[in-house]
């Protein structure tokens, strides 16, 4: 999908905020080389500097990398696809928050991670688990189908068992693979859900005429209000999978 870095930075800063807990799995070692894979606008890349001076941020979106460079001019950011990384035996840690569910070729992704890690190197990542945003996606699909459209699920949300197997097949040794519910408040009060839908389902929404788009957002809000509106904010039904694995 097309990422709008300014909108992301403004409305979806919570993504990186939640990623901060994942940082505790990155060892403190000033000499180590760390790759922040799918770094977005670089908020966590910046935090990784507390673990080591050798940090590279990589993202497939030129707009995200442009914004990351602007916000953190001293960090080395590159436009790189996670499935075609240009390195071998280069990093002690590959860190990644909220990225892998966007990538359909998981085999290529994990093979690339194996290759760029040094021996004993560590993958530390978290992304969407099975049934992540299940209610939001159901409501979106029902509303789209009333306009004779189909929602192509762009996400990969695996089970723990499925992902453990993929990690092992890539040659990595899993130390931790777990999933958990992480209900996630969305910024901006009443507008939280529509901001989220506009960012993350942009490719389904953008072909629709303006009135059709508005109807979908309104229908979703009324379908989800009982479950996901807590009186002051929308709370998305996120579920996460966390993976720590060693080469
Ligand atoms: C939800 S953002 C997360 C950004 C950041 N890690 C954070 O925690 O704020 C997902 C990021 O993954 C990037 N991404 C998606 N597919 C990718 C791929 N194949 N290779 C590299 N980056 C990718 C997107 O461009 C986007 O910046």
């Amino acid at each position: 999908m097309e990422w709008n870095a300014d909108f992301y930075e403004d409305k979806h800063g919570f993504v990186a905020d939640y990623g901060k807990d994942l940082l505790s799995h990155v060892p403190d070692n000033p000499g180590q080389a760390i790759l922040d894979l799918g770094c977005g606008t670089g908020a966590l890349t910046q935090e990784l500097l507390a673990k080591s001076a050798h940090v590279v941020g990589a993202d497939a979106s030129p707009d995200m990398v442009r914004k990351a460079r602007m916000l953190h001019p001293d960090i080395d950011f590159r436009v790189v696809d996670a499935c075609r990384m240009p390195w071998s035996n280069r990093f002690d840690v590959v860190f990644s928050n909220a990225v892998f569910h966007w990538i359909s070729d998981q085999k290529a992704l994990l093979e690339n991670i194996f290759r760029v890690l040094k021996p004993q190197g560590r993958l530390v990542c978290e992304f969407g688990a099975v049934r992540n945003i299940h209610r939001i996606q159901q409501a979106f699909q029902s509303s789209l189908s009333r306009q004779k459209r189909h929602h192509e699920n762009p996400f990969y949300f695996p089970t723990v068992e499925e992902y453990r197997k993929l990690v092992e097949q890539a040659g990595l040794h899993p130390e931790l693979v777990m999933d958990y519910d992480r209900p996630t408040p969305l910024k901006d009060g009443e507008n939280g859900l529509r901001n989220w839908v506009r960012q993350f389902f942009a490719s389904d929404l953008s072909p629709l005429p303006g009135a059709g788009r508005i109807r979908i957002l309104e229908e979703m809000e009324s379908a989800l209000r009982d479950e996901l509106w807590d009186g002051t904010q929308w709370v998305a039904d996120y579920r996460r999978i966390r993976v720590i694995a060693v080469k």
Side-chain angles (χ1 to χ4, degrees):
M1 78 168 227
E2 287 278 313
W3 288 88
N4 178 330
D6 293 323
F7 190 61
Y8 182 83
E9 183 68 15
D10 184 29
K11 304 288 186 218
H12 301 289
F14 69 84
V15 175
D17 289 345
Y18 279 103
K20 286 183 186 166
D21 184 52
L22 188 62
L23 291 167
S24 63
H25 291 278
V26 176
D28 289 301
N29 175 357
Q32 69 191 336
I34 305 177
L35 175 65
D36 183 7
L37 189 54
C39 59
T41 52
L44 292 172
T45 328
Q46 169 75 43
E47 301 272 337
L48 284 164
L49 283 179
K51 305 275 183 180
S52 162
H54 309 287
V55 178
V56 175
D59 200 287
S61 158
D63 198 44
M64 287 295 201
V65 169
R66 173 197 60 77
K67 184 87 181 174
R69 285 177 178 149
M70 200 183 85
L71 293 171
H72 314 284
D74 297 334
I75 301 179
D76 180 5
F77 290 105
R78 316 271 180 97
V79 178
V80 167
D81 184 330
C83 297
R84 296 149 166 249
M85 290 193 270
W87 305 285
S88 290
N89 289 326
R90 165 82 167 72
F91 295 100
D92 300 282
V93 175
V94 172
F95 175 91
S96 184
N97 180 55
V99 177
F100 288 12
H101 47 250
W102 293 103
I103 298 180
S104 52
D105 192 347
Q106 290 287 320
K107 187 165 174 283
L109 169 66
L110 289 166
E111 282 171 4
N112 268 260
I113 289 169
F114 182 86
R115 193 187 64 253
V116 306
L117 280 172
K118 295 178 187 169
Q120 310 302 320
R122 183 170 286 268
L123 168 64
V124 175
C125 69
E126 185 162 307
F127 57 101
V130 65
R131 293 184 71 79
N132 187 45
I133 57 158
H134 185 64
R135 287 292 298 119
I136 294 182
Q137 262 188 320
Q138 271 184 334
F140 188 58
Q141 176 54 63
S142 319
S143 189
L144 265 187
S145 48
R146 279 190 279 277
Q147 298 191 34
K148 310 271 181 281
R149 304 253 173 185
H150 178 69
H151 168 52
E152 271 308 322
N153 180 12
F155 303 114
Y156 173 68
F157 297 143
T159 64
V160 162
E161 296 71 29
E162 182 183 341
Y163 213 70
R164 178 186 294 279
K165 204 179 284 174
L166 282 182
V167 166
E168 286 171 346
Q169 281 167 356
L172 297 166
H173 305 287
E175 280 187 354
L176 172 81
V177 186
M178 58 169 279
D179 62 1
Y180 65 100
D181 290 339
R182 201 201 66 196
T184 300
L186 304 177
K187 260 188 173 178
D188 220 6
E190 253 312 329
N191 291 321
L193 183 65
R194 38 182 78 201
N195 290 339
W196 190 98
V197 173
R198 283 198 187 107
Q199 167 100 35
F200 294 109
F201 293 151
S203 50
D204 286 300
L205 279 182
S206 51
L208 296 174
R213 255 177 272 163
I214 298 286
R215 196 170 336 126
I216 285 181
L217 298 170
E218 287 174 353
E219 284 178 4
M220 286 184 75
E221 285 169 349
S222 78
L224 295 171
R225 190 166 294 276
D226 282 351
E227 283 167 277
L228 303 186
W229 173 256
D230 76 358
T232 52
Q233 59 189 352
W234 290 97
V235 182
D237 54 337
Y238 275 34
R239 300 197 72 249
R240 299 278 109 172
I241 179 166
R242 181 173 288 194
V243 179
I244 316 290
V246 177
K247 177 166 171 179

